Amino acid sequence: MKKLSKISLAVATVAAVGALSTSALAEEAGQKIGLSMPTQSLERWNRDGSYLQEQFEAAGYEVELTYSDNEVDQQVNDIQNMISDGVNLLVVAAIDGEALNTVMDEAAEAGIPVIAYDRLIMHDGVSYYVSFDNYTVGTLQGQYVVDTLDLDNAGDATYNIEFTAGDPADNNATYFFNGAYDVLAPYIEAGTLVVPSGQTDFDTVATPAWDTQTAMERMQNILASYYADGTQLDVALCSNDSTALGVTQAIQSDYAGDNTVLITGQDGDEANLMNIVDGAQSMTVYKAVANEAVVTLDLAKAILNGDTIDESLIEASGWDFDCTFDTESYETSEGNACPSFLLTPDVVTADNMVEKLVDTGYYTQDEDGYLHPAA
Ligand code: BGC
């Protein structure tokens, strides 16, 4: 019950602080946090928004939460409004990591620290980055393919694979793709994995806005062009669940082959977990966004308290999940590394989903075996 215990702990802490003295809370009560999330149309951001809001409010902060409908101009506008409303700190999950320069300058001028949440913003005004290890997300997907098909012992067998990556405007998307591709490239070079469409570079396989429909249509075209003659598709390597959903729909409607296609994903979206239960998707890389919110809250508190921030925050916070402090991997501009707190992603399949997702309290399971995010 990791998530639930964190929240109840936060509530208990608030109660305890309140009982002892109101001064610490009062200090936080005067402080306002601006939370800018990209969209409600991609499932995970709804969870992020509500976890972040719960955590910050339970700790005594006032919260302004916006979703920007995947429109860059709206996100700029939303952040500008929060700056005028006098927020003390901004937490931003960018729609386009390269498109927030002006508003980041404005935040810097107003002396407002910015935490880039989950997706890095390419601006040196960003104080810290909180995310998961994005490259590892991709390597977990690639390694799952290697292990499941036992590619190291494939002998003369060959398997057909197609790639679907994420939004080029999202800095994470290349990390996911490169992580997966780096694991699979040796097998492609050896001829064990074959890409009938020949589409293997990020720009060609990318999916603007991580859109399900776009991913579906691209896979329908690939199936019509390269698989209509009965060629078997063995693997659809998808960077996340919203794209996996579209690819799965295309396979269900436009693929005549009789094998089960191995399909990867990321996030643990409800519809994808349903597909995993039904055998239509093979795995998802789960990232406990409730814990990402916990790290963000503790980091924000430390920033607002003027504490020194380094790996000691990890020990001082006593988190019961893995997180590393990384000062090298992510740069907001060339040579300018952004200090980052990176959580650890995990593989979820039909075999371990109860242990990883239900027993931990993140999801509940209904009588049909389907999972639903815990309220
Ligand atoms: C997140 C993924 C998510 C994708 C689309 C990425 O930045 O890290 O978890 O699947 O955006 O929402």
Side-chain angles (χ1 to χ4, degrees):
M1 303 294 283
K2 207 177 279 178
K3 181 210 114 196
L4 299 181
S5 68
K6 272 287 163 196
I7 290 169
S8 35
L9 187 70
V11 172
T13 309
V14 169
V17 170
L20 291 170
S21 124
T22 50
S23 63
L25 257 188
E27 222 172 79
E28 280 159 4
Q31 295 191 305
K32 208 191 286 183
I33 309 293
L35 304 175
S36 171
M37 296 291 111
T39 177
Q40 289 193 285
S41 66
L42 293 163
E43 185 182 315
R44 69 157 287 188
W45 304 107
N46 297 279
R47 287 201 296 276
D48 292 86
S50 48
Y51 285 136
L52 284 163
Q53 182 168 24
E54 271 170 39
Q55 302 280 350
F56 276 100
E57 286 181 350
Y61 295 95
E62 199 182 318
V63 169
E64 262 188 62
L65 167 63
T66 57
Y67 291 94
S68 308
D69 210 16
N70 255 344
E71 298 286 344
V72 173
D73 291 349
Q74 192 179 326
Q75 184 161 44
V76 170
N77 210 36
D78 288 341
I79 297 172
Q80 275 168 339
N81 286 339
M82 294 196 273
I83 294 173
S84 347
D85 288 349
V87 294
N88 299 88
L89 181 139
L90 281 162
V91 176
V92 178
I95 295 164
D96 183 335
E98 313 254 4
L100 295 178
N101 282 342
T102 309
V103 73
M104 288 295 106
D105 285 342
E106 288 165 12
E109 274 156 31
I112 302 171
V114 177
I115 297 176
Y117 180 81
D118 202 83
R119 299 171 169 178
L120 192 59
I121 301 166
M122 299 302 140
H123 188 282
D124 293 347
V126 172
S127 323
Y128 297 94
Y129 179 42
V130 175
S131 195
F132 283 78
D133 180 338
N134 295 303
Y135 185 81
T136 296
V137 169
T139 64
L140 291 173
Q141 294 167 336
Q143 196 57 46
Y144 179 85
V145 173
V146 171
D147 294 343
T148 307
L149 298 180
D150 196 14
L151 295 185
D152 288 325
N153 298 304
D156 291 339
T158 62
Y159 297 94
N160 291 334
I161 182 169
E162 297 295 342
F163 291 88
T164 302
D167 184 353
D170 176 350
N171 187 61
N172 290 349
T174 46
Y175 283 83
F176 301 146
F177 177 72
N178 289 341
Y181 198 82
D182 288 351
V183 171
L184 298 175
Y187 302 94
I188 296 175
E189 278 151 27
T192 308
L193 286 177
V194 179
V195 189
S197 71
Q199 299 181 12
T200 55
D201 70 290
F202 174 77
D203 289 338
T204 312
V205 304
T207 311
W210 296 96
D211 182 56
T212 298
Q213 178 83 11
T214 307
M216 181 185 82
E217 285 166 10
R218 178 172 163 270
M219 186 51 68
Q220 283 173 331
N221 287 335
I222 287 176
L223 291 171
S225 305
Y226 304 97
Y227 294 86
D229 62 357
T231 300
Q232 185 163 306
L233 175 62
D234 299 295
V235 183
L237 193 297
C238 302
S239 283
N240 86 330
D241 280 353
S242 62
T243 54
L245 202 60
V247 166
T248 303
Q249 284 162 6
I251 288 168
Q252 286 171 344
S253 62
D254 289 57
Y255 173 61
D258 55 5
N259 69 318
T260 307
V261 183
L262 189 165
I263 301 174
T264 66
Q266 166 187 194
D267 288 332
D269 285 355
E270 207 169 352
N272 299 75
L273 292 175
M274 206 174 254
N275 279 347
I276 291 177
V277 170
D278 290 344
Q281 182 173 322
S282 314
M283 62 88 84
T284 190
V285 175
Y286 184 67
K287 306 189 298 191
V289 296
N291 296 339
E292 200 174 4
V294 169
V295 172
T296 305
L297 169 66
D298 288 343
L299 173 61
K301 275 185 185 167
I303 297 171
L304 292 170
N305 286 341
D307 296 346
T308 307
I309 292 163
D310 52 27
E311 65 274 340
S312 64
L313 183 71
I314 296 173
E315 209 165 306
S317 302
W319 299 323
D320 59 353
F321 48 83
D322 290 339
C323 182
T324 55
F325 182 63
D326 179 321
T327 53
E328 283 167 15
S329 302
Y330 291 93
E331 294 187 342
T332 48
S333 64
E334 212 180 319
N336 203 343
C338 185
S340 307
F341 289 89
L342 302 177
L343 294 98
T344 306
D346 205 1
V347 170
V348 165
T349 63
D351 291 339
N352 70 9
M353 66 187 345
V354 170
E355 175 203 336
K356 299 274 179 184
L357 300 183
V358 181
D359 295 350
T360 47
Y362 298 129
Y363 291 75
T364 57
Q365 187 173 34
D366 67 22
E367 282 169 7
D368 294 334
Y370 295 132
L371 269 53
H372 309 284

